[in-house]
Amino acid sequence: MGAAALAMLAGCATSSDVMNAPLTAGVSKDFSAPYDTTKRLTLESVQGLNVDVKSTQESGDVYTILFAKPMSAFSWGEIGRVNVMDLHPNSRVSVVSEKRSKYQLTGTDEDEFAQAVFDGIEHALDRR
């Protein structure tokens, strides 16, 4: 394997990179909605994006969604984690995402993913 190929592989993000990020990592937004409502709307919002939901898990007052965006003609793909945290009586949603290659210039960045998730939640809350 050539040096360039090894360098590219060394720069690849994995699901453990986003899974092991602290709860305070990423882009967060608080919502004036109960945890159970925000949890449901967050999953619906993520499912409405061009991503594959890999898993969901609930541990205590935190609901976690792991997702991946597949490779395309314009991107090596992205991976991410969305946490919904119960703040009694409100909720906080945080989004952590990484491009699969640190050398990748194109693709969706963390702020864009976060804004898309937040917009989906807000739109659903406004319809209630």
Side-chain angles (χ1 to χ4, degrees), residues 47-96:
Q47 289 171 328
L49 303 175
N50 183 26
V51 300
D52 298 323
V53 173
K54 297 297 186 183
S55 69
T56 61
Q57 176 183 339
E58 190 162 22
S59 178
D61 289 343
V62 179
Y63 178 69
T64 301
I65 304 165
L66 292 179
F67 68 86
K69 186 172 181 181
M71 189 184 311
S72 71
F74 305 103
S75 169
W76 286 73
E78 296 84 28
I79 55 175
R81 179 187 82 199
V82 180
N83 286 326
V84 181
M85 293 163 268
D86 193 349
L87 301 181
H88 309 287
N90 300 320
S91 306
R92 175 173 295 143
V93 176
S94 68
V95 178
V96 175

